Amino acid sequence: MLIDKNVLPLVDVDFMNNTHFEDIDLINEIYLNIENFEQNQNIENFDKLKSIYNQWVDHTIQHFATEEEEMQKKGFFAYPFHKGEHDKNLSDIKALWQEFESNKDIKALKNYIEYDLINWLINHIKSMDTVTARFFKTGMSPCGML
Ligand SMILES: [Fe+2]
Ligand SMILES: [Fe+2]
């Protein structure tokens, strides 16, 4: 397991926390499949990794779209900024897979998931998602956060 759900920061809105927990399950499964591919670089392990990675990309598209729809519905003031972070992350994780397909550099993929992605996710939840969830719940943002 790469990351324990219990270390994930919680926000004020349950539908967002639930999506983040599902995200962690998928990331842990990707990590397990990365380790399997590292040990045995056969086509079967590659296909399994590709399938779970695609599921995760689809889940991420849904994760971001649901937050964005709610932000638009509620007229969240920092919508363009929050959406900008989502768009950048989504294009990064799609590009990462394209790169892996062409060079099969499993260490680079592992390194990204292990460090860059986890850091991005935790920071995003602690900042943008926290402020946004507070706004969804109360119509206000936490003092001094934005
Ligand atoms: Fe989120
Ligand atoms: Fe978000």
Side-chain angles (χ1 to χ4, degrees), residues 82-112:
H82 193 158
K83 184 174 178 358
E85 285 198 7
H86 286 170
D87 290 349
K88 170 80 171 64
N89 181 257
L90 203 50
S91 88
D92 284 352
I93 66 176
K94 285 180 179 168
L96 183 73
W97 184 263
Q98 289 310 317
E99 218 174 288
F100 175 65
E101 279 236 6
S102 65
N103 63 20
K104 302 286 191 301
D105 185 350
I106 191 67
K107 293 261 178 270
L109 183 70
K110 188 179 187 184
N111 203 51
Y112 181 91

Side-chain angles (χ1 to χ4, degrees), residues 58-81:
D58 288 345
H59 182 270
T60 301
I61 290 170
Q62 277 310 309
H63 165 189
F64 292 167
T66 311
E67 289 181 8
E68 286 161 17
E69 275 162 29
E70 195 68 13
M71 281 189 265
Q72 283 187 302
K73 230 194 282 171
K74 295 211 155 80
F76 182 53
F77 54 94
Y79 168 76
F81 188 70

Side-chain angles (χ1 to χ4, degrees), residues 16 19-20 23 63-64 67 82 86 120-121 124-125 129:
M16 291 171 73
T19 305
H20 297 153
D23 200 32
H63 165 189
F64 292 167
E67 289 181 8
H82 193 158
H86 286 170
W120 183 87
L121 187 65
H124 182 79
I125 294 173
D129 280 359

